[in-house]
Amino acid sequence: MAEFSLPANSKIGTGTTWPAPASARRSRRFRVYRWNPDDGRNPVVDTYTVDLDDCGPMVLDALLKIKNEVDTTLTFRRSCREGVCGSCAMNIDGTNTLACIKAIDEIKGDIRIYPLPHMPVVKDLVPDLTHVYAQYQSIQPWLQTESTAPPDKEWPQSIEERERLDGLWECILCFCCSTSCPSYWWNGDRYLGPAVLLQAYRWIADSRDEKSGDRLDALEDPFRLYRCHTIMNCTKTCPKNLNPAKAIAEIKKLLVLRR
């Protein structure tokens, strides 16, 4: 029987445990992934016990409290705290989501927090997004036209045409969907992933854009598009309740219809 084990330098150990304040009456334990590339050590999981009576209701509130009052070395991204910027995307209780809109009370037991899966880690909860941003840039996510712009006017668009963009423009590029996709885990070097493909369809579906044919040409590739096997993890995990799988299916349908 074959035996498989992780390389020694990838095994996660047990880190420091920080107890709750003596006055805490209602506390929860947060088990947080920690890794510092500068110390040469393996990743560990530190345990922090937080007094919920002295903390906001969201997971991000607890992380901020830990960083401000317990352990200033804890590293994570955050910005708007309103579910708009996508900065605080991470894996919480086994699901990719935004820490700022994930309520502590929605989670049972200890709260386990890890960086987005299958991404290089910069430090602690911060993933390296260099590759996915390069993929995003490759789809040329801006309005492209050949016609002369109307003088001193906006490009016209009917109400019906504008409604076609609903469910697409709301994407905040948190990449929760792409990092939950097994196809992206296996082929992330060439497969664009759900987030980037949803953004690609956003411009294909825009009535003002006049480069839809070129955009479809660029996507008609065995890897860039067709590595999607409709697993649906992307739609299930999206914190904005969008449907990347449907957007990918619409691109495939357009490619078939134009043949």
Side-chain angles (χ1 to χ4, degrees):
M1 180 182 294
E3 294 185 6
F4 299 92
S5 62
L6 292 171
N9 63 357
S10 68
K11 294 180 180 179
I12 302 176
T14 301
T16 305
T17 298
W18 306 77
S23 60
R25 296 182 179 180
R26 190 170 65 96
S27 61
R28 291 288 295 277
R29 286 187 298 185
F30 291 77
R31 300 188 183 275
V32 183
Y33 177 95
R34 304 297 309 277
W35 180 70
N36 185 346
D38 297 327
D39 63 16
R41 299 178 182 175
N42 278 18
V44 297
V45 173
D46 284 355
T47 301
Y48 304 90
T49 306
V50 175
D51 180 6
L52 298 187
D53 290 330
D54 189 33
C55 178
M58 302 300 177
V59 171
L60 182 60
D61 293 318
L63 289 174
L64 288 169
K65 182 176 179 63
I66 291 168
K67 184 172 181 65
N68 293 337
E69 302 178 14
V70 181
D71 182 2
T72 59
T73 67
L74 178 62
T75 305
F76 54 90
R77 288 193 182 108
R78 55 96 179 147
S79 183
C80 73
R81 301 182 69 175
E82 297 289 344
V84 175
C85 71
S87 299
C88 64
M90 54 190 72
N91 187 279
I92 302 171
D93 195 35
T95 300
N96 294 349
T97 189
L98 301 176
C100 64
I101 60 173
K102 183 67 175 180
I104 296 172
D105 290 343
E106 293 178 2
I107 305 170
K108 296 180 180 179
D110 295 350
I111 299 170
R112 293 171 170 81
I113 307 174
Y114 288 78
L116 291 175
H118 295 270
M119 300 284 281
V121 175
V122 177
K123 184 181 179 183
D124 293 345
L125 301 176
V126 178
D128 186 349
L129 302 178
T130 303
H131 180 62
V132 286
Y133 279 134
Q135 291 181 315
Y136 176 56
Q137 185 180 20
S138 75
I139 65 165
Q140 300 181 355
W142 53 82
L143 191 66
Q144 299 184 52
T145 63
E146 294 179 347
S147 304
T148 303
D152 303 322
K153 292 182 180 180
E154 298 178 350
W155 287 100
Q157 190 173 49
S158 69
I159 294 175
E160 292 76 17
E161 290 170 338
R162 170 58 184 80
E163 287 177 347
R164 290 173 58 191
L165 303 182
D166 288 342
L168 303 173
W169 66 267
E170 300 96 329
C171 175
I172 58 175
L173 291 173
C174 64
F175 299 107
C176 285
C177 60
S178 292
T179 53
S180 72
C181 173
S183 294
Y184 193 75
W185 301 344
W186 304 326
N187 303 284
D189 57 333
R190 297 173 66 184
Y191 174 47
L192 293 181
V196 174
L197 288 173
L198 181 142
Q199 289 287 337
Y201 182 64
R202 177 255 177 275
W203 295 104
I204 292 171
D206 196 319
S207 62
R208 301 165 297 176
D209 190 275
E210 298 176 344
K211 291 288 186 178
S212 294
D214 292 344
R215 294 183 188 276
L216 289 172
D217 288 341
L219 293 175
E220 194 165 15
D221 178 89
F223 278 88
R224 285 171 65 86
L225 171 66
Y226 289 105
R227 287 301 93 183
C228 172
H229 299 299
T230 322
I231 298 170
M232 302 297 290
N233 279 12
C234 55
T235 298
K236 182 178 180 181
T237 199
C238 178
K240 304 294 287 185
N241 296 315
L242 306 182
N243 193 343
K246 181 180 178 182
I248 296 171
E250 291 293 339
I251 296 174
K252 292 178 179 178
K253 183 171 73 174
L254 288 173
L255 287 169
V256 170
L257 291 176
R258 76 171 188 165
R259 290 176 182 172

